[in-house]
Amino acid sequence: MSTDLRAPRTAPPEPALPRLGPVGLLRWAWRQLTSMRTALFLLLLLSVAAVPGSIFPQRNIDAGRVADYMAQNPTTSPWLDRFGFFDVYSSPWFSAIYLLLFISLIGCIVPRTKVHVAALRSTPPRAPARLHRLPEHAEVTTTLSPEEALAEARTVLKAKRFRLHAHDATSVSGESGYLRETGNLVFHLALTGIIVGMAVGHLLGWRGDVILAEGDRFASSAGTYNTISPGPWVDDESLPPFVLGLERLDVQFNETPGRGFGMPREFTAYTSLQESPGAPVTRQAVSVNHPLTVGGADIFLLGNGYAPVITVRDAKGTVLYRESTPFLAQDGNYRSVGVIKVPSAQPKQLGITGFFLPTAEPTFANGPVSLFPDAKNPEVALSIWEGNLFPGGAPQSVYTLNTEEMKQVTKADGSPALVRLKPGQTYEMPGGRGSITLERVKRFAGLSVRTDPGAPISLVSAILATLGLILGLVIKRRRVFVRVRREPTAPDAGAGPPVTVVSIGGLSKDSDAGLAAIVQAVHDHLAERKDRP
Amino acid sequence: MNLAANANIALYSSMIVYTLAMLAFTWHLAARVPTIEGVRVEDREAVLVGSGSRDGEPAAPETPSTPYAAGLVGEQTLKSRQRGNIALMLTYLATALLVSSVLMRGLAVSRPPWGNMFEFATAAAAAVGVAYSVLAKRNHWEWLGVFIVAPILLVLGLSLTELYTEAGELMPALKSYWLGIHVSVAFIAVAMFTIGFAIGALYLVRRHREEKPPAKPNFIESLPTSAALERTSYTVNMVGFILWTFTLIAGAIWAKEAWGAYWQWDPKEVWTFVIWTVYAAYMHSRATAGVDARKSMYIALAGFVAVIINFTLVNLVSTFVGMHNYSGM
């Protein structure tokens, strides 16, 4: 982004190529990288490179959709994966583009800052001899003395915030719009600030997700989150030790028939919060767009769903399992799937899996379907499996059932046992395996706890970048020169007293509609004064 | 009083008036077509002198390559001026109706009236109408009218037939004062990009015809010079770019509040970023010595294509599923 350094126009007849040593080669590469054309090319490349990330599912957003996509496209997806199309924004090629762009940017800011600092200290250049050659020019004849005329011109330019300097007694040079380059430099510098903020957030930030059913509490520590992803430099011990309980989750959906039927209207979680164990309890509401802040972390309400309370008893009636079990919503009407694992069941471990339907379609003609997201007619539809829950002892997700070493429980006639329960109902499992009861339905809140120490750096940088951008685009760098000469008589009149001819010339590097007005203003000001005695 | 129903009546009325305005603008353009026979040689010289110098000195000695290639802008006939004024008046009226429709919709739902695709499209069309109305009189942009009003009509028609959503409450993610800030600045930026695009496209045509003068002049020859069109398009796009920068940052702040992270490469974020980088490249190429203005303009036009994709495909096609699913569809 430094000024374009190109070979001089008058090339020697025999182009003698200079020998580039390793240093020369490096210098050449550096000049290429920091040229404005390269920066332009990299910018365009960056915009094109960002697009695949919006077309292919991305692991950092939704790993599940990536897995689905790979299952549906078994031939192309391994290649796409190899080239990073499912992790575009951390892929080597995307990183290479923006890193090169930022190197190019820094390589341009540093020399340009030096040049600008020098320009800020220097005086406007000497006025050219022939001002009528400049893009904007005007001439006026006045009876003022040359000194007076220059002084008048100075007043106008001073009021328009020009920096003025007289290189000789018959001219004055003015320059304005230094803030343009200042703005440009601030903008580019602030862009690097945004990247620094992102890097700090990545290294020092962390994120933990937790699912809390109504009535549950959890104490924040590295081990208590359902998932936690700390930055590389985060000390697990440093997490804020708050205690959060979910008392109630209020949910509203649109019940008016029509296009928006079933759309969410309101989610609010009413919580009890202690800054640390033993600290006083405060009641706090968390809702979408209204996070909660505690100990430097923000708590967001990002998800919700149903956690039916299910009890599993053995044949003697001993309770083997009684928990509110979160079922995760699969569609807009909250058809949800969940798993109950009962390792203590005898003689074999039991795994129960299936659907929770907040407003069950009663016939099940198209399988288990929910008609509305609110709990108008809640029902669970479950199948029962027995065998080894944890084949090989490997850890597994609480939301999936590994049926590799399990068999589905069947009724006496050999058909699979399908359990349909409404709140309060109990199902007796075949073969004296015990019973399953749906006690009642609770809601759960999906809460995300996050810190991002880099965000303030990015925010301040972004604001500075915007201000710099506005200055850099709106302000124009202008030079205006005024020259006076004494002539014996007015050119249009016959004989008379000597007059002063004032030439005004204006020059701008940028497309500048306002320059003509300034030249005109100096002209008009002098024209008004010319008849002063 | 049913405000939402009245809002729709105002919307239909504005479409009728915009249609009349479009016809009037076309009528105006027809009157602008320069007739070579009609322009006397003395007139042409007067125009040249007037445009080239300030103090009555002779103008720069450049003769136009064709009789109508230079400086016929000032030669508006009475007829074309009258038609232009009629068209502008109709545009003002239609825009006032459209703005009142947006306001009534907002009052009907007690929130900023841009919470789904239909409302966003209508509000953006209103912003284009207002921006054009404000700028047209001062800059003598009657020639631009048809290229602004036709897209407005297209957007309004499509949003009524394809995107219409009953006035209703917002989904929780949109219930934030940032809706008023982030989205309104976004559609004002889109309005600027639209005007910048229309002028930019005219610039390309005008420049092509300047370089290869056609046998017969048409209204294109009555437009400002290609250099002037290019400058105007740049200025309008520049305002759009600054507003888009603000949109991007405001969106990030809102995302932090709503989703806990200010940037997650959600498809809408990706395309907002793509638009930003393309227009940044345009600004950059224009500041680069030796880049042809026409090439820069192609970048700006590509940026507008990205704006269109961002509003249509990204909202409606399931490939782009992300967290910005507010189309109301």
Side-chain angles (χ1 to χ4, degrees):
Chain A
M1 291 181 208
S2 61
T3 43
D4 211 351
L5 295 166
R6 278 169 297 162
R9 293 245 170 104
T10 50
E14 290 275 312
L17 292 171
R19 245 172 235 281
L20 286 175
V23 179
L25 199 68
L26 274 176
R27 185 172 295 159
W28 175 84
W30 178 249
R31 287 212 177 127
Q32 288 300 309
L33 180 62
T34 56
S35 81
M36 271 185 91
R37 275 165 186 276
T38 309
L40 175 58
F41 174 72
L42 288 171
L43 252 178
L44 285 171
L45 202 60
L46 186 68
S47 63
V48 174
V51 171
S54 72
I55 295 170
F56 298 105
Q58 298 294 299
R59 286 208 177 86
N60 64 327
I61 297 176
D62 192 345
R65 282 190 68 219
V66 176
D68 290 347
Y69 185 91
M70 292 186 85
Q72 281 162 22
N73 303 279
T75 44
T76 53
S77 52
W79 285 98
L80 288 172
D81 198 18
R82 217 159 286 166
F83 290 107
F85 277 85
F86 302 122
D87 302 282
V88 166
Y89 307 106
S90 50
S91 69
W93 45 273
F94 191 80
S95 312
I97 297 171
Y98 76 76
L99 287 176
L100 280 174
L101 189 60
F102 273 88
I103 293 169
S104 157
L105 199 147
I106 292 163
C108 136
I109 302 175
V110 174
R112 260 172 80 164
T113 308
K114 283 187 201 157
V115 170
H116 185 52
V117 168
L120 284 175
R121 289 180 178 167
S122 70
T123 51
R126 179 177 293 275
R130 291 176 181 80
L131 292 180
H132 65 268
R133 294 232 174 126
L134 295 181
E136 291 295 337
H137 55 89
E139 204 165 79
V140 60
T141 307
T142 168
T143 50
L144 297 173
S145 74
E147 294 75 28
E148 285 170 328
L150 281 179
E152 293 294 339
R154 274 171 169 272
T155 335
V156 180
L157 292 174
K158 201 88 203 167
K160 297 196 181 292
R161 299 158 62 93
F162 273 77
R163 176 186 292 185
L164 299 173
H165 185 78
H167 287 273
D168 52 45
T170 59
S171 76
V172 64
S173 310
E175 185 157 10
S176 78
Y178 294 90
L179 271 178
R180 180 186 181 87
E181 183 67 355
T182 310
N184 267 330
L185 292 171
V186 167
F187 169 70
H188 287 96
L189 204 63
L191 287 184
T192 55
I194 294 176
I195 292 287
V196 169
M198 287 180 143
V200 169
H202 172 73
L203 294 170
L204 293 172
W206 59 276
R207 163 190 182 169
D209 295 322
V210 64
I211 282 184
L212 271 188
E214 287 171 315
D216 285 1
R217 281 155 65 80
F218 105 109
S220 162
S221 77
T224 52
Y225 289 93
N226 294 100
T227 56
I228 184 160
S229 33
W233 292 1
V234 174
D235 176 13
D236 282 356
E237 302 299 310
S238 67
L239 303 189
F242 62 87
V243 179
L244 184 72
L246 178 66
E247 302 195 328
R248 196 176 85 242
L249 182 74
D250 274 6
V251 172
Q252 270 175 45
F253 297 96
N254 182 14
E255 301 191 3
T256 321
R259 202 174 235 171
F261 182 69
M263 295 278 256
R265 287 289 173 249
E266 188 71 58
F267 300 127
T268 308
Y270 295 92
T271 65
S272 60
L273 182 70
Q274 288 169 276
E275 292 239 5
S276 58
V281 177
T282 54
R283 303 255 179 282
Q284 304 263 16
V286 191
S287 61
V288 184
N289 279 316
H290 298 282
L292 202 60
T293 303
V294 56
D298 293 315
I299 305 172
F300 298 89
L301 174 65
L302 291 191
N304 67 87
Y306 294 93
V309 183
I310 290 172
T311 306
V312 180
R313 292 183 175 84
D314 64 12
K316 288 177 220 146
T318 317
V319 172
L320 301 177
Y321 179 98
R322 174 176 281 166
E323 272 176 43
S324 49
T325 311
F327 277 53
L328 302 185
Q330 306 294 302
D331 63 20
N333 284 330
Y334 283 63
R335 185 176 83 140
S336 314
V337 294
V339 172
I340 295 140
K341 293 177 186 177
V342 194
S344 57
Q346 291 296 332
K348 288 178 180 162
Q349 296 183 327
L350 279 180
I352 301 163
T353 179
F355 296 96
F356 171 82
L357 310 166
T359 305
E361 186 273 315
T363 64
F364 273 44
N366 297 312
V369 171
S370 173
L371 301 175
F372 192 73
D374 208 351
K376 300 281 182 193
N377 177 29
E379 186 171 332
V380 289
L382 306 167
S383 60
I384 309 162
W385 299 72
E386 64 178 6
N388 185 5
L389 277 170
F390 307 101
Q396 49 171 264
S397 159
V398 292
Y399 299 105
T400 54
L401 184 67
N402 186 337
T403 56
E404 240 170 71
E405 296 182 9
M406 301 195 94
K407 269 176 63 183
Q408 192 165 5
V409 172
T410 53
K411 288 187 275 195
D413 62 4
S415 65
L418 175 70
V419 188
R420 287 183 60 178
L421 294 173
K422 289 183 184 291
Q425 293 179 337
T426 297
Y427 174 84
E428 292 292 333
M429 286 184 272
R433 289 180 176 89
S435 67
I436 305 171
T437 309
L438 173 60
E439 310 274 355
R440 60 183 194 282
V441 175
K442 285 187 187 179
R443 292 178 195 277
F444 74 78
L447 296 165
S448 188
V449 185
R450 301 183 186 208
T451 63
D452 184 350
I457 302 173
S458 292
L459 179 62
V460 170
S461 304
I463 292 168
L464 283 176
T466 315
L467 294 177
L469 183 72
I470 293 172
L471 291 180
L473 286 174
V474 173
I475 290 182
K476 308 288 181 192
R477 185 76 171 265
R478 291 163 178 153
R479 284 176 183 165
V480 171
F481 306 101
V482 180
R483 227 173 228 301
V484 289
R485 63 173 193 275
R486 201 73 175 149
E487 285 198 358
T489 43
D492 46 354
V499 290
T500 306
V501 179
V502 186
S503 319
I504 310 142
L507 186 65
S508 178
K509 272 184 174 179
D510 325 295
S511 75
D512 185 353
L515 181 64
I518 290 171
V519 172
Q520 192 66 44
V522 179
H523 171 275
D524 292 351
H525 183 79
L526 285 162
E528 279 170 26
R529 296 291 167 97
K530 69 178 167 188
D531 294 329
R532 211 174 58 168
Chain B
M1 187 174 68
N2 187 345
L3 277 167
N6 285 343
N8 287 349
I9 294 171
L11 183 55
Y12 282 112
S13 317
S14 84
M15 285 181 72
I16 294 169
V17 184
Y18 269 129
T19 311
L20 295 175
M22 187 173 70
L23 293 173
F25 275 126
T26 321
W27 198 38
H28 161 75
L29 286 184
R32 288 181 76 103
V33 176
T35 48
I36 304 172
E37 307 81 53
V39 182
R40 287 173 299 141
V41 179
E42 295 86 341
D43 288 350
R44 266 187 277 124
E45 277 174 3
V47 168
L48 285 173
V49 169
S51 66
S53 72
R54 196 172 302 284
D55 303 317
E57 288 175 3
E62 51 178 67
T63 35
S65 51
T66 61
Y68 49 85
L72 294 191
V73 189
E75 300 230 5
Q76 283 301 304
T77 60
L78 182 64
K79 198 160 69 175
S80 86
R81 275 207 305 273
Q82 280 171 340
R83 291 176 183 182
N85 281 338
I86 292 170
L88 274 185
M89 290 300 149
L90 287 167
T91 308
Y92 297 158
L93 176 62
T95 306
L97 282 166
L98 185 54
V99 169
S100 71
S101 166
V102 171
L103 288 179
M104 279 192 277
R105 177 102 175 178
L107 288 173
V109 291
S110 316
R111 57 169 172 81
W114 39 80
N116 54 49
M117 267 185 93
F118 166 72
E119 292 174 352
F120 184 92
T122 322
V128 176
V130 169
Y132 173 74
S133 299
V134 169
L135 295 169
K137 191 76 189 170
R138 197 168 28 155
N139 298 302
H140 304 288
W141 278 1
E142 288 87 351
W143 48 267
L144 185 61
V146 71
F147 304 99
I148 295 296
V149 172
I152 289 179
L153 271 173
L154 188 71
V155 167
L156 290 180
L158 281 176
S159 60
L160 271 173
T161 52
E162 305 299 323
L163 307 172
Y164 185 73
T165 314
E166 288 294 337
E169 214 186 317
L170 288 175
M171 53 173 53
L174 291 180
K175 283 182 186 161
S176 166
Y177 58 93
W178 283 104
L179 179 68
I181 303 167
H182 165 66
V183 184
S184 60
V185 177
F187 69 68
I188 296 169
V190 169
M192 291 324 245
F193 287 148
T194 310
I195 297 175
F197 173 82
I199 301 175
L202 284 172
Y203 154 75
L204 290 178
V205 178
R206 174 90 165 113
R207 178 156 164 194
H208 176 78
R209 289 170 70 101
E210 275 173 11
E211 284 168 1
K212 291 187 185 133
K216 243 182 92 184
N218 67 18
F219 74 89
I220 295 284
E221 275 63 46
S222 76
L223 302 189
T225 58
S226 64
L229 288 175
E230 199 273 338
R231 262 201 312 277
T232 312
S233 177
Y234 167 73
T235 309
V236 175
N237 277 328
M238 180 186 87
V239 175
F241 179 61
I242 291 171
L243 293 173
W244 196 255
T245 310
F246 182 84
T247 304
L248 191 69
I249 294 168
I253 299 171
W254 188 7
K256 175 101 178 93
E257 219 167 272
W259 302 322
Y262 59 87
W263 197 263
Q264 303 185 87
W265 296 106
D266 160 89
K268 201 80 186 175
E269 291 173 351
V270 172
W271 279 90
T272 305
F273 173 77
V274 168
I275 293 166
W276 190 86
T277 43
V278 174
Y279 277 99
Y282 166 59
M283 297 288 144
H284 208 280
S285 78
R286 216 173 162 288
T288 307
V291 174
D292 183 3
R294 189 191 324 238
K295 281 189 188 149
S296 302
M297 190 58 77
Y298 286 139
I299 300 177
L301 300 195
F304 191 70
V305 172
V307 170
I308 301 287
I309 292 175
N310 189 33
F311 182 64
T312 53
L313 294 183
V314 177
N315 284 354
L316 297 172
V317 178
S318 61
T319 321
F320 296 103
V321 166
M323 297 166 87
H324 279 83
N325 297 322
Y326 310 131
S327 64
M329 304 295 291

